Amino acid sequence: MTQQQTGFSFEVYDSITELNDADAQLLIKAKEALKHAYAPYSHFNVGATAILQNGVFVNGTNQENASYPVGICAERVLLSSASSQFPGVAIETIAISYYNENGISNKPASPCGICRQTLAEYEERQHQPIRLILGGLEGKVYIISKAAELLPLGFSSSDLK
Ligand code: THU
C-alpha cells in the first residue's frame, strides 16, 4: 500500500482592488452579468464572464426552472455559449460572482461538481488552461490557474480508451 496526496495552490487576494486591471475588469463584468440570472427558486444569482483568446467577452448566468433539476448553472451556460458562438476559440479566463438574496455575498463561491467536470472537458478540448477568478460582491478573491485543479482524480476522455 502507498499513500498518495493531492492538492493545489491558488492565489488569495483580500479584495478586488488587489487584482490587476484586466482581472478586476473581468470580475466586474461577472458581477454585472449576474443581474441577468434567473433564480426565482434559489434566490442565488450567479454570473460568469469569460475572456476569449480573440478578446471577446462571453457571459453566462444561472437559469432555473419550476422543474428544479432542469435549471443550469452560469458556468455551463457560458461554456456552451462560448463554444457555440466562437467555436475553436480558446477561453483564457472566467470570472464568477454571485449575489445571494438570502444571505451574504462576501466570499468566493466555487463551481459545483457538474460544472467542474464540464470545465475540465472544455479545458482538455482547448489544450490550454482556463484560469478562474472567484469572488462575491465583496471580500476575498481567489484565482485558480487551471480549472481541472478543482477536480482531482477526475474522469476524462482518456478513461474511455
Ligand atoms: N449555481 C451556479 O450557477 N453555479 C455554481 O457553480 C453553483 C450553483 C446555481 C445553480 C442554482 O441555480 C443556484 O446557483 C443555487 O444552487
Side-chain angles (χ1 to χ4, degrees):
M1 196 273 277
T2 60
Q3 290 279 355
Q4 293 205 11
Q5 201 175 346
T6 182
F8 71 100
S9 63
F10 57 99
E11 296 166 9
V12 179
Y13 296 84
D14 277 337
S15 85
I16 190 172
T17 59
E18 288 187 2
L19 301 184
N20 69 40
D21 287 349
D23 288 346
Q25 186 196 17
L26 200 63
L27 185 53
I28 288 167
K29 283 185 180 296
K31 292 180 191 191
E32 288 167 358
L34 70 82
K35 294 174 190 146
H36 306 299
Y38 177 65
Y41 306 104
S42 72
H43 305 288
F44 192 88
N45 303 268
V46 184
T49 303
I51 173 93
L52 309 187
Q53 203 152 41
N54 62 4
V56 168
F57 296 102
V58 178
N59 286 335
T61 57
N62 56 331
Q63 299 294 317
E64 297 187 348
N65 193 282
S67 174
Y68 293 179
V70 175
I72 181 166
C73 294
E75 295 89 332
R76 281 176 289 135
V77 169
L78 183 154
L79 292 167
S80 303
S81 177
S83 69
S84 301
Q85 295 183 74
F86 303 98
V89 182
I91 295 170
E92 289 183 343
T93 304
I94 301 175
I96 304 164
S97 191
Y98 70 95
Y99 167 53
N100 181 0
E101 294 169 40
N102 296 323
I104 46 171
S105 313
N106 65 356
K107 59 181 191 309
S110 284
C112 78
I114 295 178
C115 289
R116 291 175 193 216
Q117 182 74 27
T118 312
L119 284 160
E121 179 98 13
Y122 276 82
E123 193 167 67
E124 188 188 349
R125 273 173 73 186
Q126 69 174 33
H127 305 295
Q128 74 177 66
I130 298 175
R131 287 173 76 239
L132 299 178
I133 301 172
L134 310 179
L137 293 183
E138 54 187 14
K140 289 190 192 300
V141 177
Y142 297 165
I143 297 190
I144 295 159
S145 59
K146 187 178 187 318
E149 302 272 36
L150 288 175
L151 197 67
L153 296 180
F155 183 84
S156 73
S157 60
S158 61
D159 292 297
L160 295 171
K161 289 184 182 132

